[in-house]
Amino acid sequence: GIQVEQSPPDLILQEGANSTLRCNFSDSVNNLQWFHQNPWGQLINLFYIPSGTKQNGRLSATTVATERYSLLYISSSQTTDSGVYFCAVERKSSGDKLTFGTGTRLAVRP
Amino acid sequence: DADVTQTPRNRITKTGKRIMLECSQTKGHDRMYWYRQDPGLGLQLIYYSFDVKDINKGEISDGYSVSRQAQAKFSLSLESAIPNQTALYFCATSDSTGIHNEQFFGPGTRLTVL
């Protein structure tokens, strides 16, 4: 199956700092999604981004499909950004099944 | 109101008991999924259904069964629960007719098997 690797595994930031999270995947994909899992366990959709660049407020994401990686940028971090960020991909011909990375755990300190 | 709901949200049970987790959606999506998440890990696919008559096994289906009672309802059963099935369970939906096959997740069910 497809391999999905996220880095760094853990990240501690001071409030107001910027960060970049990376997702590498081992095969061509139809779908790539970024999620934020908050401290209560809920999964929140951040981006659907199989290619290109998108921005939503302080968050933006870029996927370079030909080089098999995606980046999630968090600017001016806030304590509410804390949690785990997951990248999930659907390999071409896998029939709509997402494979998740193991996540980046982010803690933003006030 | 939430588009994807799961019941119960929390459940503690004993080894050997039969458990059913339920998922309902109001998004009108045709595809539904069940995932489990173990502590510190990503999600793994248990079962998925592309329509009412289509059920497929995922990566970790052993010990689980599912039922797609209607387009909007997809339930997951543990016939005889065991402690290593303690996990956070998520239901998800997607729309095969849309431009994007983006998946949307319910709030999760935290299951503890003693």
Side-chain angles (χ1 to χ4, degrees):
Chain A
I2 192 168
Q3 304 302 311
V4 183
E5 296 180 352
Q6 292 185 243
S7 59
D10 296 280
L11 186 58
I12 300 174
L13 296 176
Q14 207 64 33
E15 197 168 28
N18 302 329
S19 63
T20 301
L21 282 57
R22 187 176 180 103
C23 172
N24 291 333
F25 44 96
S26 60
D27 205 344
S28 299
V29 298
N30 284 330
N31 175 7
L32 187 147
Q33 292 183 241
W34 282 98
F35 297 91
H36 174 214
Q37 187 168 37
N38 65 23
W40 296 271
Q42 293 182 318
L43 279 170
I44 299 162
N45 288 39
L46 297 178
F47 293 101
Y48 171 88
I49 188 164
S51 63
T53 297
K54 290 185 178 180
Q55 180 157 7
N56 184 2
R58 295 181 296 104
L59 303 181
S60 64
T62 295
T63 297
V64 184
T66 53
E67 297 188 20
R68 299 182 182 170
Y69 73 89
S70 184
L71 302 174
L72 177 69
Y73 305 96
I74 304 174
S75 64
S76 304
S77 58
Q78 301 176 357
T79 56
T80 52
D81 294 333
S82 297
V84 183
Y85 289 81
F86 288 104
C87 167
V89 303
E90 175 203 332
R91 183 167 60 96
K92 286 186 178 180
S93 77
S94 77
D96 212 30
K97 294 175 285 184
L98 286 179
T99 298
F100 281 74
T102 53
T104 291
R105 184 174 299 276
L106 174 64
V108 180
R109 303 284 166 79
Chain B
D1 289 340
D3 295 321
V4 185
T5 57
Q6 294 184 231
T7 56
R9 295 292 312 279
N10 290 281
R11 181 72 183 268
I12 300 174
T13 190
K14 294 183 178 180
T15 297
K17 294 292 188 182
R18 184 178 187 274
I19 296 296
M20 179 180 287
L21 309 182
E22 300 189 353
C23 176
S24 294
Q25 52 113 348
T26 58
K27 299 180 78 68
H29 289 174
D30 55 336
R31 297 183 171 188
M32 298 186 74
Y33 311 81
W34 275 105
Y35 293 87
R36 71 176 268 176
Q37 184 182 26
D38 294 297
L41 298 178
L43 281 67
Q44 294 177 283
L45 183 63
I46 307 172
Y47 270 96
Y48 60 103
S49 169
F50 284 172
D51 65 40
V52 175
K53 297 180 181 179
D54 180 82
I55 304 288
N56 302 281
K57 292 183 178 181
E59 307 166 79
I60 54 166
S61 59
D62 287 349
Y64 301 95
S65 62
V66 291
S67 174
R68 185 85 183 265
Q69 302 93 324
Q71 186 184 40
K73 295 184 182 298
F74 193 35
S75 60
L76 176 72
S77 294
L78 288 68
E79 296 300 326
S80 179
I82 56 177
N84 75 1
Q85 291 178 313
T86 293
L88 185 55
Y89 290 84
F90 287 98
C91 173
T93 74
S94 69
D95 178 11
S96 69
T97 65
I99 298 173
H100 299 152
N101 53 336
E102 183 175 2
Q103 291 191 22
F104 297 87
F105 285 76
T109 294
R110 195 170 298 275
L111 176 66
T112 302
V113 183
L114 302 176

